[in-house]
Amino acid sequence: MAGVSGARRIAVWAVAVVGGVAAVGLALVAVLADQDTTGLVLAVTGAITGVVSAVIAAVALVRTPPAPAPAPSTGGGSVVAGKNAVVAGGSIIGSALGDRSRVGGPATTPPAGGPPPSGSGDVRVGDGSVVAGGDIIDSALGDDSRREP
């Protein structure tokens, strides 16, 4: 149960144990008791299970999810990139990325507008992705793509 905190881990185990004991008890009632008693016990158990499930669903809907953890303010974050992925911390300008890509003409300069972004959070991208921490300007991206004057 990776990723489950201590209190939740105990709650999960408690539900599993109670569910297992209830299943064994219901099986014993079904085997050892008469049909009327078995039917009554199973009907009451089903009703209680339905009410508990409805309460858990209502709590899950109303509960506010925890706020995401902020990115670290200093230092670099981790970058995990898939096969053939391109990840840049700033802008990608006038670049040829991917198989058989070409860029022609004079290089394009980035627009003036202050310093580049300085975020330092973790980045995870899949296979073949292109991710930039800034702008992607005047670039040829992907297979067989080109920009020529």
Side-chain angles (χ1 to χ4, degrees):
M1 292 189 327
V4 179
S5 66
R8 290 185 183 192
R9 183 181 304 264
I10 291 170
V12 168
W13 276 107
V15 168
V17 169
V18 169
V21 169
V24 170
L26 290 173
L28 288 174
V29 168
V31 171
L32 301 176
D34 60 10
Q35 287 184 346
D36 291 335
T37 304
T38 301
L40 180 63
V41 168
L42 292 177
V44 170
T45 303
I48 291 171
T49 302
V51 169
V52 169
S53 298
V55 168
I56 290 173
V59 168
L61 286 173
V62 174
R63 184 175 155 247
T64 304
S73 59
T74 59
S78 67
V79 175
V80 178
K83 182 179 177 185
N84 296 325
V86 176
V87 180
S91 296
I92 298 175
I93 301 170
S95 300
L97 305 173
D99 294 339
R100 297 171 301 279
S101 297
R102 296 177 187 212
V103 173
T108 305
T109 58
S118 63
S120 61
D122 293 340
V123 177
R124 295 180 184 278
V125 298
D127 295 347
S129 300
V130 177
V131 179
D135 295 324
I136 299 178
I137 301 171
D138 198 25
S139 298
L141 307 175
D143 295 339
D144 297 323
S145 65
R146 64 181 74 204
R147 199 260 326 142
E148 296 177 337

